[in-house]
Amino acid sequence: MAGTKEIKTHIESVQETKKITNAMYLIASTKLRKARQELDNTRPYFEALRREIKRIFRTVENGVVDSPYFYPLQGEPPLDKPSACLVITADKGLAGAYNQNAIKEALKLLELHPDTKLFVVGEYGRRFFASHNIPIEHSFLYTAQNPTMARAREISALLLDGFQKDELDRIYVVYTDMANGMSFEARCTRVLPFHRTYFADTALTEPPVTTQFEFLPNVNSVLDSMMPSYVSGFIYSALIASFCCEQQARMTAMDSANQNAEKLLGELSLEFNRVRQSAITQEITEVSAGARAQRKKHEKEG
C-alpha cells in the first residue's frame, strides 16, 4: 500500500492538473462568447443575400436561369471529374470527439468518392491524413483559432478557381455546427453546385414581388457576381461555427476533467487519512508496547 508521502505527492499532482484544466475551461468560455457574437453579427448579411438570390428566381420569367453554380431543374448530371472537400478541424486536441467526428464525415465522403481532393484547415486534420497516407490537395497553413473573412475569401477563391475552370464537379465542406445551445454535430454540406430548392426555404419569408426587376447586363451576370460572395460567406460561417463548437467541446471536456479531479482528490484524501491514521495507530501501539516492556523490566529488576 502506498505511503503518506506518495499519496500526498499524487494529491499535489492532481491539484496542479486541475488548475490547468480549470484555466483551459475559462479560456475556452471566453473564446466561445466572442466567437458566438461574431457569428451572430455575420449571419444576418448572408441570410439577406440568400433571400435576394431566392427573389431572383421568383422574378425571372419562367424561373429559367442558366448558371454553372446551379443544377438544372430536373435531375443531377453524373460525376465525370473529381470533387473537392474542405475539411475544418482544430489545431489541437483536448476537445472530446470534436476532431474525430469531422474526420469521420470526411472519410465517409472519401468512401463514396475516392477521387475527392482534400483541402484541410487545422493542424489536427493535417496530421491525421498525413499519418494515414491520405493525400491532401492543399493545406491552409494558418491557425484555425482565428477565422477571418479574408481567410475565408482565400479558401473560396482557390475552390472556385477549380470549379470555374471545370476541374471540379462539386465542392463539399465538412465542418461542425451547433445543433442547439449545448450540443453540436459534424456535417458534410455540398456548397456547389446548388439546387434551386436550397433557396426555397420557407423560413426565409419576404414580401411578395409585385414589380418586375431589371437585371443589368443580365440575370446570369448578376448571379455570377453574387455567388462567390455567398460561397465566401458560407465558408466563413463554417469556420466560425466550427471554432465555436471546438470551444464548446473543450469546455465540456475540461469540465469533465475538473469533476474527475474532484472525485479523485476525494478518494485520495480518504486514502491519505486512512494511511495516516493507520500509521498513528501503529506508532501508539509501538510506544505502548515499549512502555509496557520497560515497566516489566523494572518490576523484574526490583
Side-chain angles (χ1 to χ4, degrees):
M1 186 171 65
T4 55
K5 183 177 180 180
E6 290 80 2
I7 297 175
K8 191 174 182 180
T9 302
H10 195 180
I11 290 175
E12 292 175 352
S13 176
V14 173
Q15 288 174 339
E16 291 299 321
T17 303
K18 185 185 174 186
K19 290 180 182 178
I20 296 173
T21 57
N22 189 55
M24 292 180 67
Y25 176 88
L26 295 175
I27 292 171
S29 64
T30 302
K31 290 182 177 180
L32 175 63
R33 186 165 53 252
K34 292 181 179 178
R36 276 183 172 173
Q37 183 64 40
E38 190 170 355
L39 186 62
D40 292 340
N41 292 338
T42 304
R43 275 184 170 169
Y45 168 76
F46 296 103
E47 291 296 341
L49 186 60
R50 183 179 174 184
R51 282 195 295 269
E52 293 306 314
I53 296 172
K54 177 183 176 182
R55 293 178 69 185
I56 289 176
F57 284 108
R58 295 177 59 203
T59 305
V60 174
E61 184 178 359
N62 298 325
V64 177
V65 176
D66 183 17
S67 172
Y69 298 107
F70 294 88
Y71 278 130
L73 288 175
Q74 301 296 331
E76 297 183 7
L79 289 173
D80 56 2
K81 290 178 287 295
S83 301
C85 179
L86 174 66
V87 184
I88 302 175
T89 63
D91 290 326
K92 54 187 177 181
L94 298 176
Y98 166 80
N99 290 298
Q100 289 80 1
N101 290 339
I103 289 174
K104 284 179 183 178
E105 289 296 322
L107 294 178
K108 289 179 184 178
L109 182 63
L110 287 174
E111 289 180 2
L112 294 175
H113 308 292
D115 59 345
T116 299
K117 298 181 179 180
L118 293 179
F119 297 77
V120 182
V121 174
E123 184 63 26
Y124 193 99
R126 287 193 287 268
R127 290 182 179 179
F128 176 87
F129 293 120
S131 63
H132 289 75
N133 298 319
I134 300 175
I136 298 175
E137 180 70 18
H138 187 88
S139 182
F140 298 97
L141 298 177
Y142 43 71
T143 177
Q145 299 292 310
N146 185 26
T148 62
M149 191 63 201
R151 290 175 176 175
R153 288 195 179 100
E154 291 177 10
I155 297 171
S156 64
L158 183 62
L159 295 174
L160 285 170
D161 183 63
F163 184 80
Q164 291 167 349
K165 289 180 179 179
D166 208 25
E167 297 173 354
L168 301 172
D169 257 347
R170 299 176 182 175
I171 297 177
Y172 295 89
V173 177
V174 172
Y175 69 106
T176 310
D177 197 9
M178 290 282 185
N180 53 50
M182 295 300 296
S183 63
F184 50 86
E185 61 180 356
R187 296 178 178 176
C188 181
T189 302
R190 188 186 65 210
V191 177
L192 289 176
F194 289 103
H195 273 299
R196 281 190 50 187
T197 54
Y198 181 78
F199 295 93
D201 191 349
T202 56
L204 299 176
T205 58
E206 70 268 353
V209 178
T210 57
T211 304
Q212 191 72 19
F213 292 157
E214 183 179 358
F215 301 99
L216 296 175
N218 54 61
V219 65
N220 292 335
S221 299
V222 173
L223 274 178
D224 289 345
S225 64
M226 293 176 69
M227 294 312 299
S229 296
Y230 184 82
V231 173
S232 298
F234 183 92
I235 292 176
Y236 179 55
S237 178
L239 289 171
I240 297 182
S242 296
F243 181 67
C244 288
C245 294
E246 177 194 349
Q247 302 310 316
Q248 181 68 51
R250 184 161 291 113
M251 284 177 60
T252 302
M254 293 303 103
D255 184 57
S256 297
N258 288 335
Q259 293 178 9
N260 292 335
E262 287 287 349
K263 181 179 179 181
L264 183 58
L265 286 173
E267 294 174 353
L268 289 172
S269 298
L270 183 60
E271 183 180 358
F272 178 80
N273 291 332
R274 287 174 178 172
V275 172
R276 185 179 62 176
Q277 187 64 41
S278 176
I280 293 172
T281 303
Q282 181 67 26
E283 290 178 1
I284 293 174
T285 302
E286 291 174 355
V287 170
S288 299
R292 188 164 52 251
Q294 287 292 328
R295 188 168 58 252
K296 288 183 179 180
K297 180 180 178 182
H298 288 312
E299 290 176 354
K300 189 175 182 180
E301 289 177 353

